[in-house]
Amino acid sequence: MKYVYIARHGESDANIGNVFQGPHSALTAKGREQAALLATRAARLPIEAIIASPWTRARATAEAISERIGIPVEYSDLFTERRKPDILEGKEFGDPQYQPLYDEWSASLFADDAPAVDGGENFAAIIERADRALAHLEARPERHIFVVSHGFFTRVLGARAILGDMLTGPHLEAFTRTLRNDNTGITTFSLDDAWRIATWNDRTHLAELETD
């Protein structure tokens, strides 16, 4: 049996802002606290490898884990967040100049045959990447792998693991709109004869930060 623990990065500047997030958004002070708590949690797991998205917020989160458990991070573009049109990064939500482009691109993620929009990933592209990510994890020799990725892409991986070739754009839309990924929430995939989801968005390590 193989276990893959996939955590969303800690809270980033753009998570609490009013802008479209891209690769370069850094962790907030709270995000760094979350990453430290995640690292303490990870130290109790039998981790043999750490893989992370190279985007700034995921890199910082993974580095906190690496420093805590003494395993170097391997960075892979397979685990980045969904790729928006580059021009959107840092632009404000609702900006009449850019919101229509965001809406068009977002819709392309949930329609089976939608064309790509201005360099952003569409349904076909993100599913193809999810397949490569799952195949990469399956092929690795380690039995316990920790991955630091992003909220939307983790949901894509979950949808693909559950539905396989039955996954459609509308299915993905329902899945991503319904399931939540909190910052540093851990989702555990297991693999024997097939991929399964053992836990979703486990955030017990964040209990001391809770205020409500």
Side-chain angles (χ1 to χ4, degrees), residues 36-113:
L37 292 170
L38 179 63
T40 298
R41 176 76 177 281
R44 299 197 293 270
L45 298 171
I47 297 168
E48 300 167 77
I50 304 171
I51 305 173
S53 158
W55 289 13
T56 301
R57 55 197 182 275
R59 180 182 289 268
T61 303
E63 287 172 353
I65 298 168
S66 176
E67 291 173 6
R68 180 70 173 77
I69 69 176
I71 295 175
V73 183
E74 301 173 41
Y75 296 100
S76 172
D77 287 335
L78 288 174
F79 299 97
T80 65
E81 186 55 294
R82 54 183 168 170
R83 291 164 188 158
K84 300 179 179 69
D86 290 342
I87 197 172
L88 290 175
E89 182 176 359
K91 303 301 190 298
E92 291 189 2
F93 298 144
D95 185 320
Q97 183 176 353
Y98 297 104
Q99 188 67 42
L101 175 62
Y102 174 84
D103 293 341
E104 182 185 3
W105 163 73
S106 184
S108 77
L109 290 164
F110 304 126
D112 297 358
D113 56 355

